[in-house]
Amino acid sequence: MVLVVCGGQVMANVLQIVPELEERVDLKIVAVTSPQLYEELRQRDPRKAREIFSDEDRQIAITLHNGWRGFLYPFLLPADHAGRTFGMDDFSRSGKPGEIYKDAGFDPAGLKQRILGALVR
């Protein structure tokens, strides 16, 4: 079992029950400060990211966070989720919506390219 934990108090509470859990399961705990930082590591150094949290870990992970459940979704989604999820991660310049969407690749041509590119993975 892999517990993906975010939050100091949540971790403190988990650590209190670790001995009981380890009697029943082989346990790995991953402390998360920022899912975004982990996703950036996956892009920058995939080997190191897999050492921390492998695709096999992903299959048996349970996430614990005292906020929005989706905050830790990157640890539950399939390993290739980043290549199939598109969004605008950075602030853009000011301008007319059509110009901004084109610059970000979210105009019809850009979306078509992204979607077709994801299909060939």
Side-chain angles (χ1 to χ4, degrees), residues 22-53:
E22 288 181 325
E23 289 177 7
R24 298 176 179 217
V25 296
D26 184 24
L27 184 64
K28 175 179 180 176
I29 298 175
V30 177
V32 177
T33 55
S34 167
Q36 182 179 2
L37 289 177
Y38 178 73
E39 289 300 306
E40 290 172 5
L41 178 64
R42 282 186 47 180
Q43 292 175 7
R44 188 177 64 255
D45 191 347
R47 184 187 59 75
K48 184 174 182 179
R50 282 191 303 274
E51 289 174 5
I52 295 168
F53 186 74

Side-chain angles (χ1 to χ4, degrees), residues 2 39 54 58 60 73 84 98 106 121:
V2 179
E39 289 300 306
S54 69
R58 187 178 300 280
I60 56 173
Y73 279 177
R84 296 183 294 117
F106 267 68
R121 290 179 185 255

